[in-house]
Amino acid sequence: MNIAEQKDLFDIPEDICYLNTASLSPSFKAVEKAGIEAVLQKSRPYLIPSSDFFDPVIELKKRFAQLIEVDNYERIASIPSVSYGIATVAKNIKLKSGDTVVLMQEQFPSNYYSWKKLTDKYQAQLKIVEAPKTKSNRAKLWNEAILEAIDDSTAVVAMGHIHWSSGALFDLKAIRAKTRKHDALMIIDGSQSVGALPFSVKELQPDALICAGYKWLFGPYGCGYAYYGPYFDHGEPLEENWTNRLDSHILPDLTQYQSQYKPLANRYVMGESGSFIYVKMQLEALEQVILWTPKAVQEYCKEISAKAVNDLRDLGCDIENDDYRSHHLFGLKLPEKVDIKTFKKALKKHNVFTSFRGDYIRLSCHLFNTERDFEKFVNCLKSVMN
């Protein structure tokens, strides 16, 4: 596949510079078509077989399992959001007074509030590992600080593969080794990495991986995925819906109430997980993501952004070291002399879409972007610095 020609799969006008997949991905044409066909299908529900509420969901789990290198698709649950998946994890963890839960500074709220509630409940402690203030080797030093923070008091380490604003890359392999040494759980939020950055459950063996589905996995807003490892095999779900009980696919027997859940992660699926509109869109999206491969996406994004990164640094922007950040998503801090309001107006005028997150302007790209998109962003910045 010629990875440079993927813009044809999308319906993005030529005058639009969209560098904001980290916020919300555009649907590609095949996903849009699948969604429309499913909506039309709902107009004639008598043509929808009951198997459509089960078989496509199984196929969806298989595809996500393939993407993250999981042998058993029954360890995958379809969920509506990251907060749902993290809350499920937190519900099935008991702490002792004095235990710590390690988080990163300015972690995304969906991977913070459940841990705050859990530690408050058990009189345990949140240990927030702050990003170093230094401009050089910040992510490298941050990784070292994370490893230092994990000790015998650590019960859980909950974090992303990368930082959602700066793109700082975390050494999950080293962190996982340290959590094993101290018998701590490792919970990963893959929302800003899975699909665009290689991730292997087989290699890292996290206890859980939670992902939003509407960013780098190109699904509709309101879908997500979760992998639950052996620690959670016998836990309690957030909700008691009919589909997470044993033999729920036998519709005539639904009132023969079951005391047993389905095995493994199936107990954690959300109600109405068989939403055929969403599932059809998700299936189409994951098929393409698997075909692209996260490795190829990462390499392409690195290639088209390299010149702009150098130009931005020359203009005085602070960007993490290339070896310690992702290339599909990275943040930059502007020189102090740049007026943010003026710069935002320049971006809007030239149809350049990015995110402002904390101290960072976050740029996120994919296969519909080109080097010209980054050049356009750089030119907007130059125009307000003259």
Side-chain angles (χ1 to χ4, degrees):
M1 174 188 293
N2 186 346
I3 205 89
E5 296 178 357
Q6 301 307 295
K7 191 168 184 177
D8 293 343
L9 300 180
F10 296 86
D11 186 24
I12 300 176
E14 285 298 322
D15 64 329
I16 297 297
C17 174
Y18 192 72
L19 293 169
N20 204 19
T21 296
S23 179
L24 184 66
S25 67
S27 292
F28 36 88
K29 296 172 185 175
V31 171
E32 178 185 296
K33 181 182 177 184
I36 292 171
E37 288 178 351
V39 169
L40 294 175
Q41 188 183 23
K42 176 66 164 60
S43 299
R44 297 179 177 179
Y46 46 84
L47 297 178
I48 302 174
S50 60
S51 60
D52 266 20
F53 293 90
F54 299 97
D55 295 346
V57 176
I58 292 173
E59 180 58 31
L60 184 65
K61 292 179 180 183
K62 287 180 178 179
R63 290 186 188 181
F64 186 68
Q66 178 184 348
L67 180 66
I68 62 172
E69 297 189 358
V70 170
D71 291 332
N72 188 351
Y73 73 88
E74 291 196 295
R75 291 208 169 277
I76 307 301
S78 52
I79 56 175
S81 63
V82 169
S83 57
Y84 187 101
I86 294 293
T88 299
V89 168
K91 180 177 181 176
N92 288 285
I93 295 175
K94 294 181 179 179
L95 302 177
K96 302 187 299 292
S97 176
D99 281 350
T100 60
V101 174
V102 175
L103 305 181
M104 309 305 104
Q105 181 185 18
E106 296 183 348
Q107 196 147 284
F108 193 78
S110 293
N111 200 11
Y112 169 84
Y113 289 124
S114 285
W115 303 117
K116 179 69 169 66
K117 184 176 182 180
L118 185 69
T119 50
D120 286 349
K121 176 182 178 180
Y122 289 102
Q123 288 80 51
Q125 179 186 353
L126 278 182
K127 185 185 286 189
I128 309 295
V129 183
E130 295 187 0
K133 303 297 184 185
T134 178
K135 286 189 175 182
S136 61
N137 295 321
R138 183 168 47 237
K140 180 176 184 293
L141 295 173
W142 202 357
N143 273 280
E144 292 173 1
I146 294 166
L147 290 171
E148 183 68 25
I150 302 168
D151 55 29
D152 285 341
S153 72
T154 306
V156 181
V157 176
M159 61 188 298
H161 192 173
I162 63 174
H163 191 268
W164 68 291
S165 296
S166 69
L169 187 63
F170 297 119
D171 186 354
L172 296 186
K173 192 172 182 179
I175 294 167
R176 184 52 173 152
K178 191 76 182 289
T179 60
R180 285 192 180 282
K181 181 179 178 182
H182 294 283
D183 198 26
L185 297 174
M186 186 182 194
I187 312 300
I188 302 299
D189 178 358
S191 299
Q192 293 292 13
S193 54
V194 171
L197 189 67
F199 186 95
S200 171
V201 166
K202 189 176 294 186
E203 178 186 7
L204 290 171
Q205 297 183 6
D207 294 288
L209 168 72
I210 315 296
C211 293
Y214 62 91
K215 300 177 185 288
W216 306 98
L217 299 174
F218 290 89
Y221 188 73
C223 72
Y225 305 90
Y227 158 82
Y228 295 105
Y231 181 89
F232 298 99
D233 281 355
H234 305 289
E236 292 187 9
L238 281 187
E239 54 175 304
E240 304 298 339
N241 68 73
W242 66 277
T243 58
N244 63 14
R245 295 285 175 159
L246 203 61
D247 296 330
S248 58
H249 62 287
I250 307 174
L251 301 186
D253 293 345
L254 285 181
T255 53
Q256 303 297 316
Y257 301 126
Q258 275 281 358
S259 61
Q260 295 184 56
Y261 294 112
K262 289 179 178 177
L264 306 181
N266 294 298
R267 67 183 57 218
Y268 299 121
V269 299
M270 65 181 181
E272 300 185 14
S273 61
S275 170
F276 53 91
I277 298 173
Y278 273 25
V279 170
K280 286 183 187 300
M281 297 173 74
Q282 290 173 262
L283 282 170
E284 201 68 48
L286 284 190
E287 181 179 3
Q288 184 62 65
V289 171
I290 291 168
L291 186 62
W292 282 329
T293 76
K295 183 176 184 290
V297 171
Q298 194 65 199
E299 290 173 350
Y300 177 81
C301 292
K302 181 178 182 179
E303 180 182 334
I304 65 169
S305 62
K307 183 180 184 303
V309 167
N310 289 332
D311 290 345
L312 289 167
R313 285 177 175 146
D314 289 342
L315 291 171
C317 295
D318 180 14
I319 300 173
E320 184 55 66
N321 185 294
D322 292 347
D323 293 332
Y324 287 91
R325 67 172 177 86
S326 58
H327 297 279
H328 66 291
L329 178 164
F330 61 92
L332 59 95
K333 293 183 179 180
L334 295 173
E336 291 184 5
K337 62 182 179 180
V338 176
D339 182 76
I340 295 293
K341 289 184 179 180
T342 303
F343 185 42
K344 284 184 176 180
K345 287 180 181 178
L347 293 173
K348 184 176 181 180
K349 178 182 177 182
H350 291 91
N351 292 321
V352 178
F353 296 87
T354 65
S355 287
F356 288 75
R357 296 291 185 265
D359 295 334
Y360 292 95
I361 296 178
R362 185 181 66 191
L363 303 181
S364 52
C365 59
H366 209 274
L367 302 182
F368 53 83
N369 293 114
T370 65
E371 192 173 312
R372 290 188 300 277
D373 290 323
F374 283 98
E375 182 180 348
K376 198 171 182 180
F377 176 86
V378 172
N379 287 338
C380 283
L381 180 56
K382 286 180 178 178
S383 73
V384 301
M385 293 182 70
N386 294 335

